[in-house]
Amino acid sequence: MSSFPKRAVLLLVLACGVGAAAWAQPKTAGYAGIGRDATPKEVAAWDIDVRPDFKGLPPGSGSVTRGQDLWEGKCASCHGVFGESNQVFSPIVGGTTAEDIKSGHVARLKDPAFPGRTTLMKVTSLSTVWDYVYRAMPWNQPKSLTPDDVYAVTAYMLNLGGIVPDDFTLSDKNIREVQARMPNRNGGTTAHAMWPGNELGRAAKPDVSAVACMRDCVPAASSVAQLPPHARGSHGNLADQNRLVGAQRGIATATAATAAAVKTNAPAAAAPKVPVALLEKNSCTACHGMTQKLVGPAFSDIAKKYPGQTDHLLQKIKAGSTGVWGAIPMPPQTLGDDDAKAIARWLADSTGP
């Protein structure tokens, strides 16, 4: 062994190591030794979409009555008790008639005098409603609804629109029958040929030349992307949350008091550190801005209204609140006790973020 070159030994060891690593990694198409195939369990966790032909729809059922209970507890704070929504969200129900349910075309979509477009006026496939609720709702706790919950909530929405009766139970067995009653079911088209399969009458050739358009075009508008005023302070000062190297810089979104102090080279007043990660983890910033009202009041306004009142704020976070900041109630929050106490303490000790 002493006569064997040490360099050759080292190369042999490295080669064996690389070979073992490559052997342990399943080969993926075109990239040997990189990554691995997803397991069936991992694929199932992501593969939750429901197609217009209802492929992918999980088994289950839910009644209008149960849907009303779920709606009032998890949905009404944003979408209204009767789907009329509020000043922040667009209405879900309204604008459809019994005649629309018969024809499959919503007449008011062609009426320029009608004040708005609701979800049930526009949507052509019930799968779109079911899929969106399942993956994205409630806003502050997406994917927290079970399939049975989604069937129930969807049944309640359909009932509000007069599509199903009060005693109806929606399920994977009868959803295709309900699709045949959607008010705008005939209002869409697959002539664009963008649907990948042939199940929905795919056209022979996509309109990649846009011949239906490209006439009487107005000059293109030139704009620079920027945060709208109401969102600038929603996540603290972005300039302080980016690396000091590289081309990207966070825009300065400091509060007015801090900005004024920086401008005059004066020290800003010390304040409790904003628990940005905690607020985002519990989806608080979905409804509250730091200094701007979104769906609910700004954190700065809450802090000014309840200085030093940690217990009161904790109770409001856990039990919900209504009638204090306007017509939109805040439902009870399901965050952990430690997180709730930390947020309540931060608000109580702040003079405003």
Side-chain angles (χ1 to χ4, degrees):
M1 183 69 179
S2 59
S3 62
F4 200 77
K6 292 182 178 180
R7 185 179 179 186
V9 174
L10 177 60
L11 291 174
L12 179 62
V13 170
L14 290 175
C16 290
V18 171
W23 177 81
Q25 296 274 5
K27 293 183 179 180
T28 56
Y31 301 96
I34 299 177
R36 62 172 176 80
D37 294 335
T39 67
K41 188 175 182 180
E42 289 170 337
V43 172
W46 283 98
D47 187 18
I48 63 171
D49 64 298
V50 178
R51 292 168 32 162
D53 54 7
F54 296 106
K55 288 184 178 179
L57 187 72
S61 63
S63 68
V64 171
T65 301
R66 171 162 166 71
Q68 181 175 2
D69 292 337
L70 287 166
W71 184 274
E72 292 177 355
K74 296 178 178 291
C75 313
S77 58
C78 291
H79 298 296
V81 175
F82 301 107
E84 76 281 11
S85 296
N86 51 45
Q87 59 263 44
V88 177
F89 298 95
S90 300
I92 292 176
V93 178
T96 60
T97 66
E99 187 59 36
D100 297 336
I101 295 174
K102 292 179 182 179
S103 67
H105 289 281
V106 175
R108 283 175 175 161
L109 284 175
K110 298 182 180 180
D111 180 5
F114 193 73
R117 302 289 184 265
T118 70
T119 300
L120 290 185
M121 287 175 66
K122 296 182 292 184
V123 69
T124 59
S125 175
L126 184 53
S127 65
T128 302
V129 178
W130 202 101
D131 180 87
Y132 187 77
V133 174
Y134 188 41
R135 70 174 60 251
M137 294 289 113
W139 191 13
N140 63 333
Q141 292 178 296
K143 296 184 181 178
S144 62
L145 298 177
T146 67
D148 287 346
D149 291 341
V150 179
Y151 280 110
V153 168
T154 305
Y156 180 66
M157 281 190 283
L158 295 170
N159 176 254
L160 290 175
I163 300 170
V164 299
D166 295 347
D167 59 352
F168 189 77
T169 296
L170 180 67
S171 72
D172 59 305
K173 307 297 183 188
N174 62 15
I175 196 169
R176 291 168 179 79
E177 299 171 17
V178 180
Q179 170 62 33
R181 291 179 53 81
M182 292 297 288
N184 198 41
R185 63 187 179 274
N186 297 322
T189 179
T190 58
H192 45 67
M194 298 300 290
W195 182 256
N198 297 319
E199 300 92 335
L200 301 177
R202 179 181 178 183
K205 182 181 179 182
D207 178 20
V208 295
S209 300
V211 295
C213 176
M214 306 307 291
R215 293 191 303 270
D216 303 320
C217 301
V218 298
S222 177
S223 61
V224 178
Q226 59 181 327
L227 288 171
H230 72 270
R232 289 181 64 85
S234 297
H235 301 276
N237 188 14
L238 298 184
D240 295 336
Q241 300 171 33
N242 284 261
R243 297 184 303 167
L244 298 179
V245 297
Q248 301 300 322
R249 297 286 189 274
I251 187 172
T253 56
T255 62
T258 304
V262 171
K263 187 175 181 181
T264 59
N265 295 321
K273 184 178 179 181
V274 179
V276 175
L278 197 61
L279 298 173
E280 292 182 346
K281 167 190 170 185
N282 293 291
S283 301
C284 304
T285 51
C287 294
H288 302 279
M290 289 295 173
T291 58
Q292 296 84 15
K293 178 184 184 297
L294 299 180
V295 178
F299 289 125
S300 58
D301 293 335
I302 299 172
K304 291 173 183 176
K305 188 177 182 67
Y306 301 110
Q309 301 183 46
T310 303
D311 291 342
H312 175 79
L313 290 166
L314 177 60
Q315 190 273 333
K316 290 293 185 181
I317 292 171
K318 299 294 286 186
S321 177
T322 182
V324 178
W325 299 96
I328 305 175
M330 182 180 80
Q333 302 300 300
T334 58
L335 70 173
D337 290 340
D338 290 342
D339 286 0
K341 290 176 182 177
I343 294 172
R345 190 179 305 113
W346 165 65
L347 289 170
D349 292 345
S350 300
T351 56

